[in-house]
Amino acid sequence: MREDVDHHIDCHIADALSRPALVRLDSRTLCLRFETMKVASALEAVRYLLERGTIAHGDTLVDSSSGIYAHALALACHRYGLHCHIIASTTVDKTLHTQLEILGATVEPMPPCASLKLDQSRRVARVREILRDHPRHHWMRQYHDDVHYRGYRPIADLIREHISCDRLSVVGGVGTGASTGALTTYLRETDPSVELVGVQPFDSVTFGSEHVHDPEIIIAGIGSSIPFGNVDHTLYDTVHWFGFDAALSGSVALLREHAIFAGLSAGAAYLAARWEQRLDPERHVVVLAPDTGHRYVDAAYSRHAEAPAPEDLRPRQITTLSDMDLPWSRMHWNRAEAPPNAAVTHAIPVAS
């Protein structure tokens, strides 16, 4: 084997999946397209915990997930010889469930319920029950443990190699706070002016949209019914809230215009990025596409003919949270503190 190409060969598929494909959408927009973005987070978190002795080979790692993190943690456990137990959301489909089982993870699906909010709360309660009965299991706490920031440092370095950080905005789903928050934290170490634009669904407590109900909400993984300790609200300059129709519009446009098949959060981020660039055409933008669109085919992409044209949509510009409304709202967050219902009782430091 030629030595000059050895470094391109990975020892495990998780190592390859932890790196995004970089796709230039136009002269000032770069898309980071992942198959499973949280592999970057879970893989480095597990490696670090093993190195510190917090966990050991053969231990069982447990967490709750709506799908992406479940796959990522199962891959990391497979990579490092650990057991994996997932409390699975109702949004975890048969394809993913089957993959998880073959990878060696035990999957405990929650029974169907009327709302994703209740589903999320029940999953966390079930994790606590498991820890009570199995105190040696390690709860990964993807929502609250800043160890999940660490895997995004190499991705921040990758961004610096390919795009100017002068007048740069990072646009992506807030989710657990680790992806957009970590990327921006590490980019601001050398370029403090980098702006962060967070994407949220309605019906989420994280940025105060829990009072606006979207009957078709299925934007799994980027909203929350409970406070997340890993979300540092003071990192975010602007927030966009999306309903299903607007997110579908962005997703269909991203596929039609750039052939990128991604989840609804990526579609929402694409629409937000287009708007931010419209306001400031000289700005460079990095758009996060954290997963593929496969799990949204039946519920979303099959309805592509119904998707409104992106040029027919514009956000409702608001100054207070009480003014937000469907299908799309935007607010200057200005690095403010968490809204009352999203505040946590302990500080979450940034990982070094």
Side-chain angles (χ1 to χ4, degrees), residues 288-345:
L288 268 63
D291 63 343
T292 69
H294 292 88
R295 65 174 172 162
Y296 296 103
V297 170
D298 291 337
Y301 277 100
S302 63
R303 299 167 56 183
H304 64 89
E306 304 171 24
E311 55 269 21
D312 293 337
L313 296 173
R314 60 187 298 126
R316 175 187 179 97
Q317 185 65 45
I318 63 174
T319 55
T320 63
L321 295 175
S322 61
D323 289 338
M324 72 172 65
D325 199 5
L326 292 164
W328 178 11
S329 293
R330 176 184 184 269
M331 180 176 174
H332 293 297
W333 192 259
N334 295 325
R335 308 189 189 186
E337 298 288 341
N341 289 346
V344 293
T345 58

Side-chain angles (χ1 to χ4, degrees), residues 14 18 36-49 55 61 68-77 79-80 82 140 142 147-152 178:
S18 69
T36 308
M37 180 181 69
K38 289 185 178 179
V39 172
S41 178
L43 197 64
E44 175 58 21
V46 170
R47 186 206 63 77
Y48 181 71
L49 292 171
I55 59 176
L61 309 187
I68 298 177
Y69 187 77
H71 188 203
L73 186 59
L75 286 168
C77 288
R79 169 78 168 80
Y80 287 112
L82 296 150
M140 289 299 293
Q142 65 152 326
V147 72
H148 292 94
Y149 271 51
R150 300 179 61 88
Y152 292 100

Side-chain angles (χ1 to χ4, degrees), residues 6 57 76 83 94 186 195-196 206 218 251 270 307 319 345:
D6 276 357
H57 296 287
H83 301 293
K94 182 179 179 180
Y186 296 136
E195 293 195 355
L196 178 53
T206 308
I218 56 168
S251 301
Y270 178 56
T319 55
T345 58

Side-chain angles (χ1 to χ4, degrees), residues 179-202:
S179 57
T180 48
L183 276 176
T184 304
T185 294
Y186 296 136
L187 288 170
R188 284 178 182 166
E189 288 178 347
T190 55
D191 301 275
S193 66
V194 171
E195 293 195 355
L196 178 53
V197 180
V199 170
Q200 277 276 281
F202 293 102

Side-chain angles (χ1 to χ4, degrees), residues 4 14 36 56 72 82 93 97 108 112 135 147 167-168 179 182 201 208 210 221 245 273 291 300 305 327:
D4 60 337
T36 308
L82 296 150
D93 59 24
H97 191 145
E108 185 177 334
V147 72
R167 297 184 73 177
L168 171 66
S179 57
E210 66 270 22
D245 291 341
D291 63 343

Side-chain angles (χ1 to χ4, degrees), residues 52-69:
R52 290 184 60 191
T54 304
I55 59 176
H57 296 287
D59 283 354
T60 296
L61 309 187
V62 60
D63 215 338
S64 154
S65 174
S66 62
I68 298 177
Y69 187 77

